[in-house]
Each structure stands twice: as C-alpha cells, then as structure tokens.
Amino acid sequence: MVKSVLTFGQNGLSDWLWQRVSAVILALYTIFLLGYILCHPGLDFAVWQTLYAHPAMRLFTLFALLSLLIHSWIGIWTVLTDYIKYVYLRLFLEIALVLALAIYFVWGIQILWSV
Amino acid sequence: MSAALSEIKFSIYRYNPEKDQKPYMQEMSLSVEPGKDLMVLGALKQLKEIDETLTFRHSCGEGVCGSDAVNVNGKNRLCCITPVSELTQPIVLRPIPSLPVIRDLVVDMTPFYQQYEKVDPYLINDTPVPATERLQSPSDRAKLDGLYECILCACCTTACPSYWWNPDKFLGPAALLQASRFISDSRDTAKNERLTKLEDAYSLYRCRGIMNCADVCPKGLNPTQAIAHIRTELLREGV
Ligand code: SF4
Ligand code: SF4
Ligand code: FES
C-alpha cells in the first residue's frame, strides 16, 4: 500500500473511476458542441449567447469544467509521478498543477455566469 | 559437408562489473549445418564453448523453470523455447530490462521477487482444517486457469513501462497475476484484505493497459486481463 497526498481521489480506485466518468462527460460535451456548430453554419454572437444563457447549458458546461479539472488533475499527476523523480521539484509541480487547475475552474465559472 | 556450413551472427551484451567500466556489445558467430535449427539456449551453450566467460542462466531447457528470460531482438523471451530460425540476424541478446545486471545476461531478480512477496502468494484460510482436503468444484477450479501456469520468468514485468518508472511501488504484471490467482481462489478467505492492499494509486492502478505483458508472456498468459479482473472486484467492493 503506497500513500499519496496530492492525488485527486486519495486512492487508485476512485482516481480510476473519476478518470473514466470525467472522460465520458468531456466526450459528450465535445460531441454536443461539435454537433451544435455544424448545425448552425452562420454562428454569430447572438446564437452563441442564447445557447450559453440557457440554464441547462450552464449546468452542462459546469460539469464539463469540473470534469476537465478532475481529468487533468489525475492525468497530469500520474505523468509527473512517472517522470519527475526529484522529490521537491515534483512537490512544486504538483502544487502548481492543482493551483493552476483551481484558477482555471473559478475563472471558467466566472466567464460562464457573465454571459 | 565442411563447405556448406552456414553462419549465425549474434550481438551479445557483455558486462562483468568486476572488470568492465561499462557494458559493451560483443559480436559473435556460430557455424551450423544448413537446415538444422536450434534454440537460442543451444546457441548460447555453443558460444560458451568459444568464449567460456559468456554468462547466462538456465535450468530445465524446456520452458518450465523460467530462469532463462533474455531480451532477444528487443523482445523478452525464454531462450530455451525460442528457435534461432525465427529470428533476424544479427540476433541481439540483452539482459531483460530494468533489473540490476549481475553479469552478462544474468540479472538480479530480487526486486521482482520483492513485489511478488507483497501479494501474499499463498492460500490464506483460517477456518479449521478439514479431515481430508479443501475441496473445490470443477467450475471454481476452472477460475484458476490462465493464472496458475505462471513460471515467474519476469518477461512480462520487465517489459512493462509502468514497472520501469515505478519498480518499487507498482507491483508489475507477474505479481498482479498472482494476486488475481489468490483473489479468484474459492478456498481463500482473505479476499477483502487482498483487495484493500491493492487500492492505492500505485500498486495496481499504475497499470495503463499497454499490454506489453500479454504480448511477451511465453506461457500465453494475459496479465492485463487478470488486472482488469481485480479492478472489477475492487469496484464491486468499493462502490
Ligand atoms: S497492461 Fe499493465 S501491467 Fe501489462 S505491460 Fe501494460 S501497464 Fe504493464
Ligand atoms: S505471467 Fe508469463 S511472462 Fe509473466 S512471469 Fe508469468 S509466465 Fe512469465
Ligand atoms: S531453461 Fe527453464 S524455462 Fe528456459
């Protein structure tokens, strides 16, 4: 049993599960957006705004943002622990990762609610 | 017959820590009668007659003891069951990757065995011992097929990138296949404890499903599948 502090889910099982759940949400969101863009050839600001002003779309986007946070946290943490062997550099990068992702997330929400 | 001998070329990793500053590749060749095939192990034995310092490990000579795993042309294989005729020349022989080299093709298997030890590779059952034996139904017994045949040759584990990066924390395919073997055993009563030991982020979950392990196993076993099975069991217990 190996202890890890800066993982998202604190154990391998929940990380594994969240990685998959978030991947599905991100895939659905991407497919939806692509489909939407293809169905609206002359996409302008007004159409875009109506889409994002809809509560369901906000919720969906919120979930997608959350999934992005979770997915990249788990993924990049794994890559860092594979390749960065020097402990303090790793710690620094892991903390930087979590902070950067948190900032992106809050920033994303801010943009979403200002539409 | 002397004119018709054909030549087999080898490039062999040599390293004697007592003498050599660093490892080097030695070109060697062997003359054999045309049309005659031999195993890489047979070739190594003949090469040793030419250069007796060439060192390799072997025992059974028929793919059951697991002591002669070597990296042959980039793939981990058992020398004794790998025919020379299947290989492109020069045949490049190196020790299996990531384990400390003792000499030439002989590696120190200790780190591999240490990971194996961590999965408690023996039956645990604290219930009173029955008068005869612990019986298993044929279908329960069948669950061990594809798991019990492992000969601990380390071909799989030393071909696994996740093991290369975290050899102390990730248990590796061979040890996990054995974990699965005891988790699947109807006579074992320590299933939950075994699963709990594997739920951290490294021991099992460092497996990224690359399937190098299944690709190289000389016994045709599939550690990736065994790992997936443990993951399913963990999910069943954990949600
Ligand atoms: S499937 Fe898993 S255990 Fe097998 S080689 Fe790939 S990462 Fe290693
Ligand atoms: S699973 Fe196959 S490759 Fe791995 S140690 Fe066992 S026999 Fe060797
Ligand atoms: S010598 Fe025993 S497996 Fe090859």
Side-chain angles (χ1 to χ4, degrees):
Chain A
M1 185 77 140
V2 185
K3 287 252 177 292
S4 325
V5 197
L6 283 166
T7 47
F8 170 73
Q10 296 299 305
N11 83 39
L13 173 60
S14 61
D15 271 3
W16 180 82
L17 194 62
W18 279 114
Q19 188 77 319
R20 264 130 201 96
V21 173
S22 58
V24 170
I25 295 175
L26 283 173
L28 290 177
Y29 192 75
T30 314
I31 293 169
F32 170 76
L33 267 195
L34 276 178
Y36 190 83
I37 292 171
L38 288 177
C39 294
H40 295 79
L43 193 67
D44 59 9
F45 181 74
V47 179
W48 206 231
Q49 197 186 25
T50 331
L51 172 66
Y52 275 90
H54 197 287
M57 186 57 188
R58 283 197 177 169
L59 201 63
F60 195 15
T61 310
L62 189 64
F63 277 138
L65 271 177
L66 200 60
S67 300
L68 191 66
L69 170 95
I70 294 171
H71 200 81
S72 27
W73 186 339
I74 299 170
I76 300 174
W77 179 83
T78 307
V79 175
L80 289 179
T81 47
D82 268 352
Y83 294 104
I84 312 288
K85 296 297 170 190
Y86 180 63
V87 169
Y88 291 105
L89 178 63
R90 180 147 115 190
L91 183 65
F92 171 77
L93 289 173
E94 285 180 16
I95 292 172
L97 164 75
V98 176
L99 289 180
L101 288 173
I103 291 169
Y104 285 148
F105 182 63
V106 174
W107 196 1
I109 292 179
Q110 211 182 8
I111 296 172
L112 195 60
W113 255 260
S114 65
V115 173
Chain B
M1 68 163 256
S2 59
L5 287 182
S6 67
E7 220 191 10
I8 309 171
K9 291 198 175 62
F10 293 88
S11 175
I12 304 177
Y13 176 102
R14 302 297 310 267
Y15 182 52
N16 176 355
E18 284 164 22
K19 265 183 30 222
D20 304 325
Q21 292 283 330
K22 54 177 193 197
Y24 60 97
M25 298 302 288
Q26 184 184 355
E27 313 304 316
M28 297 182 88
S29 67
L30 210 60
S31 301
V32 293
E33 279 174 49
K36 231 184 138 185
D37 199 5
L38 75 172
M39 296 295 170
V40 173
L41 180 61
L44 278 172
K45 286 180 183 167
Q46 290 186 33
L47 289 169
K48 197 175 170 68
E49 283 171 21
I50 301 169
D51 178 351
E52 62 173 17
T53 63
L54 176 62
T55 310
F56 50 92
R57 187 161 40 203
H58 66 97
S59 176
C60 70
E62 50 183 13
V64 291
C65 74
S67 61
D68 63 341
V70 162
N71 188 276
V72 183
N73 284 355
K75 186 172 176 180
N76 294 348
R77 316 180 64 151
L78 296 176
C79 292
C80 60
I81 53 170
T82 304
V84 164
S85 61
E86 273 181 13
L87 305 165
T88 48
Q89 295 183 29
I91 297 168
V92 182
L93 302 178
R94 292 172 184 274
I96 47 175
S98 82
L99 292 174
V101 174
I102 296 174
R103 189 163 158 175
D104 297 344
L105 302 175
V106 178
V107 295
D108 180 2
M109 302 275 278
T110 311
F112 173 77
Y113 294 138
Q114 277 168 346
Q115 298 306 67
Y116 174 55
E117 223 181 298
K118 285 185 195 162
V119 305
D120 304 319
Y122 41 81
L123 204 69
I124 298 174
N125 189 328
D126 298 330
T127 59
V129 181
T132 54
E133 66 211 272
R134 296 192 196 278
L135 287 175
Q136 237 179 349
S137 70
S139 65
D140 278 339
R141 166 60 189 77
K143 290 181 186 146
L144 308 183
D145 287 341
L147 302 171
Y148 80 91
E149 301 93 331
C150 172
I151 56 173
L152 293 174
C153 64
C155 279
C156 56
T157 294
T158 60
C160 169
S162 286
Y163 178 76
W164 298 340
W165 309 152
N166 294 287
D168 50 340
K169 294 177 181 161
F170 176 55
L171 296 178
L176 290 168
L177 185 99
Q178 288 314 299
S180 177
R181 183 243 170 275
F182 288 99
I183 287 166
S184 308
D185 196 314
S186 61
R187 300 161 298 179
D188 194 274
T189 55
K191 182 171 166 184
N192 287 346
E193 291 81 349
R194 292 182 188 279
L195 288 173
T196 308
K197 276 176 116 176
L198 296 174
E199 69 183 19
D200 65 283
Y202 283 95
S203 306
L204 174 131
Y205 283 99
R206 266 305 141 128
C207 168
R208 310 245 69 89
I210 307 154
M211 292 195 82
N212 274 11
C213 51
D215 180 47
V216 297
C217 176
K219 306 304 276 183
L221 309 179
N222 189 341
T224 316
Q225 201 177 33
I227 292 167
H229 170 244
I230 303 178
R231 259 202 234 104
T232 312
E233 293 288 330
L234 275 161
L235 200 60
R236 205 171 276 158
E237 299 288 320
V239 292

